[in-house]
Amino acid sequence: MLQIHWYVLAIIVFLLVIFKPFFIQKQEIYKSLPPSPPSLPIIGHLHLLKQPVHRTLQSLSQKYGEILLLRCGARNILLVTSPAAVEECFTKNDIVFANRPRLLAGKHFTYNYKTVIVAPYGDLWRNLRRVMTLEVLSPARLAPSSNIRQDQVRSLVSQLMQSYASGARKVELKSKFTDLSFNVMTMIIAGKRYFGDDFEDVEEAKQFRDVIRGTLDLSGVSNIGDFLPFLEWIDFQGYEKKMRGLMIKMDKFLQKLVEEHRQVLLIGNKESDSDGSAKKTVVDNLLMMQEKDPEFYTDEIIKGIMLVFLIAGSETSSSTMEWAMALLLNHPDVLKKARAEIDANVGLGCMLDEQNLPKLNYLHNIINEALRLYPPVPLLLPHEASNDCKVHGYDVPHGTMLMINAWAIQRDPELWVEPTRFIPERFEGWNGEGYKLLPFGGGRRGCPGVAMANRVIGLALGALIQSFEWERVGGEEIDMVEGLGLTMPKVKPLEAIYRPRIVITEHPL
């Protein structure tokens, strides 16, 4: 979304008056539209959408109602902050809202809408989701990849141990979590890690991380041309040029990975498991599928699958780990309780692994509470109505963009006791009732990587809690100010004081 300054607004209105006949569509008559705040001619409610947008939209919902119709230029937006209405959208109207709007970021960052996140609902989307599930996200695939996740978490713990032995007492955790999440995904996808002492081209890895950050930042802004189509002709805000530049760098990195694996497959030089069978990565399997069905498994499709895992799969997990650790540092009593649970269920002489996670209920409560307070995507990715439908008795015209404010729902005092407080105990006995907790979306377009994310987050947080004592830097409370972008980063990267626990030092990895 965006904030429009008065002088920009004046230019837009002037241009709209001139070009009005070219983009104003015929308005159909609907008997019972959702309530709508007062708006300006032509631009509608665009001027109201100030940063941070999830907070602005929460204020609008509190003032005008939980189901609102916003008119933003040529687009209608259905804004929902009611769990009952969300349930209706994701059940009764799930197929109607299974499409995604075609926005500029989707065009440039997803190979022209060819990834599972933004592909139109249909055969392409179904095939992409099936391939990603079968190759990485199914229970049958998650179990064998547990050693990758565990190895990368143990590597992080070892790095911290070594840094402490060298005299370090303070660590910046944001980059550690980012590197960990990215390494997990690149190991699963391509069989190589990109951050750590064993990677030769550190500069390439840092550049790619910057590209990912830039991609997420640009995906989180609103291009005015998405709402006022005629402005796309002139790239009014310069976003399209920036997107093209970032995607060129992104594509170069992904294509290099594809070519590396293509060459290895051609010469048949693959590392083998102990039983003699070759170790194959996701890229290897996709390239073999390409040989059988080159029309579907093009390089763009393969790179699009890689891109989704590398960005969506790593950024959301690392962001959640940072917020969760910041909350624990601000609530040492919760941290102490979590450590006691791990000590009781895992023991003092061995490192926590994924098999221990089902026994760590309080750790899961902490993660759920962190996701409630700081969802990785505060405004769920938008949906689009493919037909007219009704939501809570209101008429919703076809083509309407559905925006669900998960951040507002998850902090609603009507739904949660003391909604702004960090209380992991609220999730004791939680069975996911209703649509009150939505960090991964819902319906058929919900995130398919929930199980993967929970394993990475749980394993990393659990290992850090088990292995180290943690304190705030200077004793002051952690700054919890939210940044801008598609995901919701902390403005100030998380730093903490740490020291190895005696029991872990006596039982090294």
Side-chain angles (χ1 to χ4, degrees), residues 87-99 121 383-384 386 442-446:
E87 181 175 8
E88 196 170 335
C89 292
F90 286 158
T91 54
K92 176 184 174 183
N93 294 315
D94 193 23
I95 293 180
V96 174
F97 285 117
N99 260 327
Y121 181 65
H383 298 245
E384 186 173 86
S386 56
R444 63 193 63 211
R445 295 301 291 247

Side-chain angles (χ1 to χ4, degrees), residues 179-304:
D179 296 352
L180 168 67
S181 299
F182 192 71
N183 279 339
V184 167
M185 296 315 306
T186 56
M187 283 295 296
I188 292 173
I189 293 167
K192 61 192 295 188
R193 49 184 273 151
Y194 275 81
F195 295 99
D197 297 335
D198 57 342
F199 182 58
E200 296 178 0
D201 197 342
V202 176
E203 189 59 33
E204 180 185 357
K206 290 181 178 178
Q207 289 176 1
F208 187 66
R209 182 167 59 187
D210 291 342
V211 169
I212 289 178
R213 184 70 261 165
T215 299
L216 288 166
D217 290 344
L218 273 180
S219 296
V221 301
S222 262
N223 170 43
I224 296 180
D226 287 330
F227 303 97
L228 304 173
F230 78 97
L231 289 177
E232 291 183 4
W233 306 339
I234 57 175
D235 191 17
F236 183 69
Q237 296 163 288
Y239 288 150
E240 187 162 18
K241 181 180 178 180
K242 294 177 183 178
M243 289 178 183
R244 285 199 190 102
L246 280 172
M247 195 57 195
I248 288 172
K249 296 177 182 178
M250 177 83 72
D251 182 73
K252 182 179 179 181
F253 179 89
L254 296 174
Q255 189 66 48
K256 180 181 177 182
L257 273 179
V258 170
E259 294 301 333
E260 286 175 358
H261 284 260
R262 182 175 280 134
Q263 290 301 314
V264 171
L265 286 174
L266 284 174
I267 63 176
N269 184 24
K270 290 297 294 180
E271 182 183 354
S272 298
D273 287 325
S274 56
D275 62 359
S277 60
K279 288 183 178 179
K280 289 187 174 59
T281 65
V282 172
V283 178
D284 295 330
N285 290 333
L286 291 172
L287 287 172
M288 288 189 291
M289 293 177 188
Q290 186 182 64
E291 293 179 1
K292 298 176 182 177
D293 186 2
E295 290 189 8
F296 177 74
Y297 293 100
T298 63
D299 277 8
E300 280 197 351
I301 289 293
I302 293 173
K303 289 183 291 186

Side-chain angles (χ1 to χ4, degrees), residues 116-135:
V116 71
I117 294 178
V118 299
Y121 181 65
D123 289 341
L124 174 61
W125 174 79
R126 278 187 285 269
N127 286 333
L128 289 171
R129 188 172 176 109
R130 175 184 56 79
V131 169
M132 294 176 69
T133 300
L134 291 176
E135 286 298 317

